[in-house]
Amino acid sequence: GGPSPQPTMEMPYQSLGTAPSTNRRRNGVLAICAAATIALVAGAFYLGRSDEGLGMKFMTPAVKTPTMSVMSPSMSVMKPVNMMDTATSVNMRHKKGFKKLGRPADQRKALIRGLVTEVLRHGRITTTTTRAKAIRRYVDKMIGLAKRGDLHARRQAFGFIYDKQLVKNLFIEAPKRYADRPGGYTRVKKELLPRRGDNAELSYIELV
């Protein structure tokens, strides 16, 4: 006889739709896992960037400001007091303003010195109301220095008043004239008519 036929291995039955359905299911699971992973990474990044997110809270340690608890006598509740508020308090500049008279510092000082010199020389001058009120305290100061009469006061007066002979006469006459007056050596009164030209309000300042 002839050669015997060799046995053939039969493959298990497999339908035409088995392999494609398995591949689709596996691809779907992988797509869902990838989407979930991307969503988790994006959420963690967003929380890490925000100041109030959970990522910032877990990654950075909390910084606490020093506080002090104050117990009220009528209440048993502890109230935190921030020490930074009391440590950085700044005093406000009350009553620090002055009239600038529309001039820079050097010209303003020269104007005041000239007006004070003329008031002490003539006893009465007419000027604007703002200037009269601005120089009143300087005139009182010069008379106060004359009443004091020591060497330091005389040098201060020489440094402020332009006329040196006037300073000598002031230190002779002022202690006699204002011996019984503790202050307020000048008065300012307004004129009836304004100044011609610019309609400025005028006043005269005179020695009492």
Side-chain angles (χ1 to χ4, degrees):
S4 61
Q6 296 184 0
T8 60
M9 299 182 62
E10 296 182 359
M11 298 295 292
Y13 179 77
Q14 193 174 30
S15 63
L16 295 177
T18 303
S21 63
T22 304
N23 293 334
R24 284 198 300 270
R25 189 180 298 111
R26 184 172 62 250
N27 293 337
V29 172
L30 292 177
I32 293 173
C33 293
T37 304
I38 293 174
L40 290 175
V41 171
F45 178 76
Y46 175 76
L47 293 177
R49 289 292 300 273
S50 62
D51 295 337
E52 300 178 358
L54 295 177
M56 181 62 70
K57 292 182 180 180
F58 288 113
M59 292 173 62
T60 59
V63 179
K64 296 182 178 180
T65 57
T67 57
M68 181 177 63
S69 299
V70 177
M71 179 65 74
S72 177
S74 61
M75 300 177 63
S76 60
V77 181
M78 304 295 288
K79 297 181 180 180
V81 177
N82 194 355
M83 299 297 293
M84 299 299 293
D85 296 338
T86 58
T88 58
S89 61
V90 179
N91 296 327
M92 302 186 73
R93 297 180 64 255
H94 293 301
K95 297 183 180 180
K96 299 295 183 181
F98 58 93
K99 295 296 183 180
K100 297 183 180 179
L101 305 178
R103 284 169 170 77
D106 54 345
Q107 298 179 20
R108 182 171 59 251
K109 183 177 179 180
L111 174 64
I112 292 174
R113 290 178 63 186
L115 291 175
V116 170
T117 302
E118 296 305 317
V119 170
L120 295 176
R121 177 183 289 121
H122 300 287
R124 174 176 174 174
I125 63 170
T126 301
T127 182
T128 60
T129 303
T130 304
R131 293 180 182 179
K133 292 180 179 180
I135 68 173
R136 180 168 49 185
R137 63 191 184 108
Y138 295 99
V139 176
D140 291 347
K141 182 178 180 180
M142 292 299 108
I143 296 177
L145 293 177
K147 289 179 63 177
R148 202 172 72 189
D150 56 355
L151 179 60
H152 181 57
R154 189 178 294 268
R155 287 177 174 174
Q156 284 182 302
F158 274 122
F160 192 86
I161 299 173
Y162 286 128
D163 192 350
K164 307 306 177 184
Q165 185 62 38
L166 180 62
V167 174
K168 298 178 182 179
N169 296 334
L170 178 66
F171 273 72
I172 296 174
E173 299 296 333
K176 302 176 184 178
R177 182 173 178 178
Y178 302 107
D180 298 332
R181 181 179 288 269
Y185 309 110
T186 58
R187 68 168 61 97
V188 176
K189 287 189 176 181
K190 294 182 180 180
E191 295 283 358
L192 296 178
L193 298 177
R195 184 167 59 187
R196 296 181 60 184
D198 59 353
N199 201 33
E201 186 180 27
L202 295 177
S203 295
Y204 65 85
I205 178 172
E206 64 179 359
L207 299 177
V208 178

